[in-house]
Amino acid sequence: MSRQHLNDAQSVQQLQAQLVHRLRAAGLDSPLPEARALLTHVLRLDWAGLVLAAERSVTPAEAEQLEGLTLRRLAREPLQHLLGRVEWGGVTLHVSPATLIPRPETEGLLALALKSLEGRAALAAPAVLDVGTGTGALALGLKAARPEAQVTASDLSPEALALAGHNAAANGLEVAFVLADLLEGVAGSFDLIVSNPPYLPDADRLEAQPEVKYDPDMALYSGPDGLKLARRLVVQAAGRLNVGGTLLLELDPRNVGLLAAEMRLANWTVQTHADLSGRERFLWASRLEW
Ligand code: GLN
């Protein structure tokens, strides 16, 4: 779009139509919701406000800001980075290139975590650990839904922990953050250990969607088969669960059956659970004997 074009006064509706067209032409899957999300962000409106503003003209400053974001999106920078935040699991999370963008499927892991705590109604203040918290998503989603839980969250990345701490404060939630390599450096034992660890095979990097290249590699890849960190985590977690405690993991669906089989040989009881698209992605485990 030329400068000249930018300076023409356009209505919100016209701009939206152009934007949808450009996003679609670039091969993006959801051009209309994305265009609306960018417009609500730039115009500082909610969705209803955007509908009501259809006829109003866009200021040159707004058009310019929108153009900048559009070019970044056309270069396949994730929408969430352009908006700076995501609504996830009942909390608003700021995102940055230092952390994985929380995925909708991980809300399924949050739902399982809440279910596991429901089954432990006798615990006044269950001790919960989120390993590799990233933006703080699982820890904060849990704390928001179960304020009485004592939630700890770890990450190996100081930048991620800083962002997660900011997200906790912004949501008014109290979570203890620890800089740690999985459970090494985390004190105590837990009624629930939950984790969405890096779980993709290293070779997946070669075929990653352009947007995924904006997620940090250390949040995604985990050795030749994708299980390097999950296996270490399972060994560490075995010694750190309270009696009756649960370990919940999100994994690559290609690996869920394999890790479940390995864990059964190591004295765990394991169930697997599907994500919203019906792929076995979650592993629910407890120790056979304590
Ligand atoms: N679900 C992510 C993806 O497919 C991977 C997340 C992870 O490794 N924990 O891009």
Side-chain angles (χ1 to χ4, degrees):
M1 191 185 286
S2 68
R3 289 268 130 191
Q4 181 54 49
H5 204 159
L6 273 180
N7 291 335
D8 294 344
Q10 286 178 298
S11 72
V12 169
Q13 205 166 25
Q14 284 168 332
L15 212 58
Q16 176 172 306
Q18 274 175 20
L19 188 52
V20 169
H21 176 78
R22 292 169 77 192
L23 296 176
R24 180 175 291 124
L28 298 179
D29 287 340
S30 312
L32 182 58
E34 290 211 14
R36 286 184 174 155
L38 288 171
L39 276 162
T40 54
H41 179 68
V42 168
L43 303 177
R44 295 174 208 284
L45 296 169
D46 59 19
W47 282 44
L50 183 64
V51 173
L52 294 174
E55 306 291 332
R56 93 145 160 89
S57 51
V58 174
T59 67
E62 287 168 341
E64 188 150 348
Q65 192 195 348
L66 184 71
E67 182 61 15
L69 294 177
T70 303
L71 293 177
R72 287 169 63 190
R73 187 66 191 105
L74 293 175
R76 301 297 288 268
E77 194 168 340
L79 180 68
Q80 296 89 335
H81 282 178
L82 304 182
L83 303 176
R85 61 180 201 285
V86 51
E87 298 297 324
W88 187 96
V91 285
T92 300
L93 299 166
H94 287 91
V95 298
S96 86
T99 55
L100 183 86
I101 295 169
R103 308 287 205 261
E105 60 264 31
T106 305
E107 288 177 328
L109 188 62
L110 174 62
L112 291 175
L114 292 172
K115 194 168 156 196
S116 86
L117 293 181
E118 267 166 32
R120 308 291 309 281
L123 295 172
V128 178
L129 173 65
D130 171 17
V131 179
T133 194
T135 57
L138 284 162
L140 297 173
L142 272 160
K143 183 70 183 175
R146 291 291 302 262
E148 75 283 13
Q150 297 286 335
V151 182
T152 305
S154 73
D155 207 286
L156 185 55
S157 154
E159 293 81 16
L161 278 185
L163 181 70
H166 165 85
N167 282 331
N171 286 282
L173 296 170
E174 209 172 303
V175 165
F177 292 102
V178 190
L179 184 68
D181 182 4
L182 300 178
L183 276 95
E184 262 168 53
V186 180
S189 59
F190 301 91
D191 300 302
L192 169 64
I193 298 177
V194 62
S195 183
N196 171 20
Y199 59 60
L200 298 176
D202 288 339
D204 279 18
R205 194 184 270 128
L206 303 173
E207 297 154 21
Q209 292 284 319
E211 283 84 354
V212 174
K213 299 202 170 106
Y214 287 87
D215 286 317
D217 278 5
M218 73 179 280
L220 290 170
Y221 303 105
S222 185
D225 66 0
L227 284 174
K228 189 170 155 203
L229 288 165
R231 285 196 182 101
R232 262 183 68 210
L233 174 55
V234 165
V235 171
Q236 294 177 356
R240 304 292 287 281
L241 284 174
N242 292 335
V243 173
T246 306
L247 171 64
L248 283 172
L249 296 177
E250 177 177 329
L251 292 172
D252 189 301
R254 291 169 288 182
N255 275 333
V256 166
L258 175 60
L259 191 65
E262 290 179 11
M263 288 175 73
R264 286 179 186 120
L265 292 176
N267 251 349
W268 293 85
T269 31
V270 186
Q271 294 163 6
T272 64
H273 293 266
D275 63 17
L276 285 174
S277 34
R279 307 213 296 164
E280 296 296 307
R281 187 181 290 278
F282 308 115
L283 200 150
W284 175 312
S286 52
R287 299 293 286 162
L288 266 183
E289 53 195 274
W290 301 87

